[in-house]
Amino acid sequence: MDSTAITSFSALWDEVFGSQPDPDLWVVIATMVAALAVVVPHRLWRLSRNAITIAHEGGHGLVALLTGRTLTGIRLHSDTSGLTVSRGKPHGLGMILTAAAGYTAPPLLGLGGAALLGAGHITLLLWLSTVLLIAMLVMIRNAYGALTVILSGAAFLLVSWLTGPQVQAAFAYAVVWFLLLGGVRPAFELQAKRARGGAGDSDADQLARLTHVPAGLWFFLFHLVSLCSLIGGGRWLLEL
């Protein structure tokens, strides 16, 4: 490897794994408001919730692989629902963790992203997100899901390569705020749907069958994880 290649690799390594300066406080607050603006209104949420579904199903898939299950495929649907199919024992710890990973994945990803941003690793967050989306794309098994993941990955890639530090920081903070804030709403929506007699085979119901722990306690866990992630991640982002 010649010296030019070594220098280029070293520069790339420093860019990705080095730290970048924190944005101004007004940028952090503005991105929080922007995230709220696409999470709270119902019409915008119906569209933006697709990104939460990507994180939700990606959480199922990643934990399935980490626990030794065989990931068969992931589907993302236009109604913002999704399905992750894995093979393995239909019971046991691996199945329990896989089922529990869906509703906890978006807020935990937001918390991890907030930790990276709090340490100044804006570029690393953007690149890690791109890699995860590319890896997920391999397991997508329907056209709408593939389109959704491709567009999301393209957004991260374009911001990483074509924009300056200020735009990258604003984009990264907006994404993390969205995961933290958007990660709170789905469990409440599911709980309300079950109260009306729907969603009888939800993640909470599957966990109740697997563990003999009431679904209500699993909802409590989902709420606890999402709210604690929002509080902890928000403190990191706001540097409180």
Side-chain angles (χ1 to χ4, degrees), residues 30-41:
T31 53
M32 178 183 67
V33 173
L36 279 170
V38 297
V39 168
V40 175

Side-chain angles (χ1 to χ4, degrees), residues 40-101:
V40 175
H42 181 68
R43 289 186 178 181
L44 289 177
W45 173 243
R46 283 177 59 85
L47 178 63
S48 65
R49 197 182 192 280
N50 283 284
I52 295 296
T53 303
I54 291 175
H56 179 114
E57 299 303 331
H60 282 313
L62 178 60
V63 173
L65 291 173
L66 292 176
T67 56
R69 299 180 62 80
T70 300
L71 182 59
T72 304
I74 298 173
R75 290 178 172 269
L76 306 172
H77 304 133
S78 59
D79 63 355
T80 72
S81 66
L83 177 66
T84 299
V85 179
S86 62
R87 293 200 307 268
K89 292 192 300 182
H91 53 78
L93 183 60
M95 187 64 194
I96 293 170
L97 292 176
T98 299

Side-chain angles (χ1 to χ4, degrees), residues 170-181:
F171 180 79
Y173 272 79
V175 167
V176 171
W177 275 123
F178 175 73
L179 288 171
L180 291 171
L181 294 165

Side-chain angles (χ1 to χ4, degrees), residues 7 21 24 30 35 40 44 60 78 90 99 102 127 135 140 149 155 175 187 221-222 238:
T7 301
D24 295 333
V40 175
L44 289 177
H60 282 313
S78 59
W127 280 54
I140 295 294
V149 174
V175 167
L221 174 65
F222 296 158
L238 295 168

